[in-house]
Amino acid sequence: MNISKNYNMLILSGLLCFSLTSCKDDDPTFTQEDTSGPEVNYIGKKVGNFLAEEWYPGGDLGTTDNVSAGCYEDEAPVVAQMGLMDAFNKGETFFERNYNTGTPPFNGLGPAAVRKSCLDCHPAYGHGKRVDRYTASWGNGYLLVVYHPIAPGSDDGPYVAEVTGMPQTIATSPFLAPIDEDQIDLQWKTLASMESGIPMTFPDGEKYELIYPELNIPESAFNTNPTPYQTGDVAFRLESTIGIIGTGLIDAIPDDSIKVQYQREAAAGVDLNPAMWDKSTNDWAASALYTANGVNRIKKFTYACTRGSLQDGAGANAIWNITNVSRSDRPYLYSTNAWAKKMSETPSVIAAIKANPSSPYYADGTDEGIAEAVNGLLSPGTNQFDNPWHNFEPEMSDQNFWAFMVWHRGLAIPRARNLNDPEVQRGKEVFNQIGCQYCHRAKWQTTKDDFWAPSIITSNNLNLPTYKNQTIYPYTDMVQHRLYMKNGIHGSWCRTTPLWGRGLSKINTGAEDRLHDCRARNEIEAIMWHGYSKNSDAYDSTLKFYNLPKADRDAVVKFLRSI
């Protein structure tokens, strides 16, 4: 059942009128007042179809007034109000600095890793950049997805077990990376035509171009035993990191409110991910619950909704597995048995360790002893007791992890811009008229923000930035939908990405790349990819956008760049 057609039914019945911002807020009728003066005269005031509060999308506690280069790095006002500035500034260093093998507190890199620092994946704190060649370098926010497709060309299928879920392409000496990035073949293809039949020239004659990635990695690139090719067909996708601004505010959205959103969409006949929503019970599926320390949270982070709390997902997970830096609640490596086995069988690895008696892998100095130590130390584990080789000390202290989470949860969202501009107001009106707001829901309320945090924070009575009773405007329904793009996202289902603050990407990061793999180089391309297939949940809205006059298309783009 097509989501846009279902929502047309909702427009008639009014079922979802109250679920977005409110009937009043989304009413396309408004008084077009003269707001042609300087923006400063209107900030914080109601203008046209924008409420006064929409200038501050993160509320009073979460919005920075800075809208210039570097604003993505700003702390939310609540950080200073709660006396957490020192921790915020300290936590920022753990995001920005390169990790290494032996200089505290930035030690612990490897022995295999995805990147040397968090900043590599989130240039200038933003969305990853599109690259033409895959290297583990600054700006490349891509994570490789290596999986066994359920059918040729399918986006769906389980991750391979031979490499980590976030595959690693760098390693510390003398080891070889699980995947040799020099053999990764990344090509950008130009789309010849839309599967849906939507022309690639607008009715007024303006053309647009769409590109998509094609990724191939040969078996020789895998330094694992076995290789993924030995256990089934192999396919590849790219996923780019999302912007990290305002993430604490997203964490503050109550689970109960997200449940209400799912219920409303389910009642409207929207096709929901069965891994998240059980149609038969009209309630959460068991797999939608993320349980940590006996507390259930709804999975709402990552494209695939795999994590239920910012404090145990997203950056909290990445600070461990991207750089492979252990801490007290994760005192083990992010690795695989297949990589450990291959390294224990690699002559160059054994020879290098044999020539260095101070190596922790040296053991008794024999080839057999070294191989046993390599296999034992590099293999994964779930705690420090299930593998007798895993007796190393955590590399990130609890206090440093807390500071990192103060920083992560304390990042502000920039103030909205140009809301007094009649063209921006028209853009919002058209955005709502063609149905974009049904997935990109504008408004949420944070209520009490009873966040979950791991015991390494709570047992020490450490606090985190808290966003109580804030009205926020992230422009997401927090629900997964399917767009069916060519070479689309792994797993098909993708959580609606928040739109707030993205208009400042160019001045902060130097790039405007959008969508899950940066295939869209601007807003027009991002919108049109939503209509690649008639099966897309956003096909009808895309078709309506396609048929807009150029002035209205431009207005929608200007609106998106202003929120």
Side-chain angles (χ1 to χ4, degrees):
M1 189 174 286
N2 187 284
I3 190 171
S4 299
K5 292 177 182 176
N6 286 322
Y7 276 133
N8 288 335
M9 175 186 71
L10 292 177
I11 292 172
L12 295 175
S13 65
L15 284 175
L16 278 189
C17 189
F18 63 97
S19 77
L20 303 170
T21 57
S22 74
C23 294
K24 179 180 178 182
D25 293 350
D26 282 332
D27 188 347
T29 62
F30 62 95
T31 302
Q32 186 73 64
E33 56 197 271
D34 180 10
T35 53
S36 56
E39 180 191 69
V40 67
N41 296 335
Y42 301 97
I43 294 173
K45 298 178 181 178
K46 183 184 183 304
V47 284
N49 53 353
F50 288 99
L51 300 177
E53 64 193 22
E54 292 184 72
W55 287 97
Y56 303 98
D60 294 335
L61 298 180
T63 308
T64 175
D65 272 312
N66 181 17
V67 293
S68 59
C71 62
Y72 281 2
E73 303 176 30
D74 284 5
E75 72 280 358
V78 73
V79 174
Q81 292 176 24
M82 295 180 65
L84 295 171
M85 277 305 304
D86 287 345
F88 179 92
N89 291 331
K90 183 178 181 180
E92 184 176 55
T93 66
F94 294 106
F95 172 81
E96 294 185 346
R97 289 281 297 273
N98 280 350
Y99 285 80
N100 57 66
T101 57
T103 308
F106 304 104
N107 60 303
L109 180 70
V114 181
R115 298 286 188 279
K116 292 181 179 180
S117 77
C118 303
L119 191 61
D120 283 346
C121 288
H122 298 274
Y125 293 54
H127 193 286
K129 293 185 179 182
R130 186 174 63 86
V131 298
D132 294 324
R133 178 173 175 267
Y134 190 99
T135 60
S137 58
W138 185 89
N140 174 19
Y142 286 126
L143 300 174
L144 297 173
V145 179
V146 185
Y147 65 105
H148 293 306
I150 59 175
S154 175
D155 295 332
D156 300 325
Y159 291 102
V160 303
E162 290 73 31
V163 295
T164 50
M166 297 181 182
Q168 301 147 323
T169 62
I170 58 176
T172 56
S173 180
F175 303 111
L176 306 178
I179 301 177
D180 177 8
E181 63 182 27
D182 288 337
Q183 298 187 55
I184 298 173
D185 180 27
L186 170 59
Q187 297 184 30
W188 288 95
K189 305 287 187 177
T190 300
L191 188 69
S193 63
M194 299 276 266
E195 184 183 90
S196 64
I198 295 178
M200 300 190 71
T201 300
F202 290 107
D204 52 41
E206 182 178 354
K207 296 180 181 294
Y208 64 93
E209 182 184 75
L210 300 181
I211 60 173
Y212 62 94
E214 195 162 272
L215 187 66
N216 287 288
I217 307 174
E219 185 172 16
S220 58
F222 289 90
N223 292 304
T224 63
N225 185 8
T227 71
Y229 285 88
Q230 293 172 301
T231 57
D233 293 335
V234 185
F236 313 97
R237 291 290 184 266
L238 288 176
E239 289 183 10
S240 179
T241 53
I242 63 173
I244 52 177
I245 52 175
T247 320
L249 290 156
I250 295 293
D251 194 45
I253 295 175
D255 286 356
D256 288 347
S257 297
I258 298 175
K259 182 175 183 177
V260 169
Q261 183 68 23
Y262 270 83
Q263 289 173 330
R264 290 168 180 163
E265 297 196 20
V270 177
D271 192 18
L272 299 176
N273 185 355
M276 293 295 294
W277 193 256
D278 187 338
K279 282 185 177 180
S280 65
T281 62
N282 196 35
D283 204 345
W284 296 116
S287 54
L289 299 176
Y290 183 81
T291 304
N293 291 358
V295 177
N296 286 333
R297 293 289 180 178
I298 298 306
K299 295 177 181 178
K300 58 185 177 182
F301 284 104
T302 74
Y303 296 118
C305 288
T306 57
R307 296 276 169 171
S309 165
L310 185 65
Q311 287 66 244
D312 198 46
N317 190 50
I319 197 67
W320 167 64
N321 62 15
I322 294 297
T323 55
N324 229 337
V325 173
S326 62
R327 58 179 189 259
S328 65
D329 63 336
R330 299 187 187 188
Y332 46 88
L333 291 178
Y334 186 58
S335 63
T336 69
N337 289 318
W339 180 64
K341 187 173 188 292
K342 179 66 175 180
M343 292 302 96
S344 72
E345 300 167 344
T346 302
S348 63
V349 170
I350 303 301
I353 294 171
K354 195 168 187 177
N356 180 19
S358 64
S359 169
Y361 306 92
Y362 187 77
D364 62 4
T366 66
D367 288 2
E368 295 78 9
I370 292 171
E372 183 182 11
V374 168
N375 191 51
L377 285 168
L378 297 189
S379 62
T382 55
N383 58 57
Q384 64 268 46
F385 306 112
D386 69 349
N387 184 331
W389 292 95
H390 288 186
N391 58 1
F392 41 81
E393 292 294 322
E395 293 147 339
M396 172 175 266
S397 72
D398 291 355
Q399 284 286 324
N400 288 342
F401 174 67
W402 166 68
F404 176 77
M405 291 312 303
V406 168
W407 165 84
H408 196 5
R409 205 170 205 272
L411 286 172
I413 199 74
R415 173 179 57 76
R417 290 81 52 209
N418 305 316
L419 304 189
N420 58 301
D421 186 331
E423 187 178 4
V424 174
Q425 295 169 18
R426 174 60 180 164
K428 178 184 180 182
E429 180 184 20
V430 175
F431 182 85
N432 291 346
Q433 284 177 347
I434 64 177
C436 300
Q437 88 280 25
Y438 292 122
C439 293
H440 291 284
R441 168 182 166 175
K443 181 179 179 180
W444 290 86
Q445 197 76 26
T446 66
T447 65
K448 59 184 179 179
D449 190 11
D450 56 341
F451 62 82
W452 177 92
S455 59
I456 60 175
I457 290 178
T458 57
S459 64
N460 291 305
N461 295 316
L462 298 171
N463 210 345
L464 294 172
T466 307
Y467 302 96
K468 294 181 179 180
N469 301 317
Q470 298 297 290
T471 301
I472 63 175
Y473 287 82
Y475 284 86
T476 173
D477 62 357
M478 300 298 292
V479 176
Q480 291 176 301
H481 300 287
R482 291 178 293 187
L483 299 183
Y484 294 100
M485 299 179 192
K486 185 176 181 63
N487 288 6
I489 192 167
H490 175 249
S492 296
W493 296 94
C494 184
R495 192 198 72 175
T496 304
T497 300
L499 298 178
W500 59 358
R502 291 301 309 280
L504 294 167
S505 180
K506 183 73 171 179
I507 65 169
N508 278 279
T509 71
E512 296 180 292
D513 304 320
R514 291 177 180 250
L515 298 182
H516 71 279
D517 56 10
C518 296
R519 66 177 61 198
R521 294 161 292 188
N522 52 54
E523 293 87 353
I524 294 291
E525 292 182 14
I527 293 169
M528 294 313 299
W529 265 117
H530 283 60
Y532 170 73
S533 170
K534 286 187 176 180
N535 293 321
S536 168
D537 290 346
Y539 168 74
D540 283 358
S541 291
T542 308
L543 185 60
K544 290 175 182 177
F545 179 84
Y546 169 81
N547 285 310
L548 291 173
K550 177 173 172 53
D552 281 350
R553 296 198 307 270
D554 290 346
V556 170
V557 170
K558 196 167 186 179
F559 161 70
L560 293 172
R561 293 182 178 181
S562 298
I563 57 175

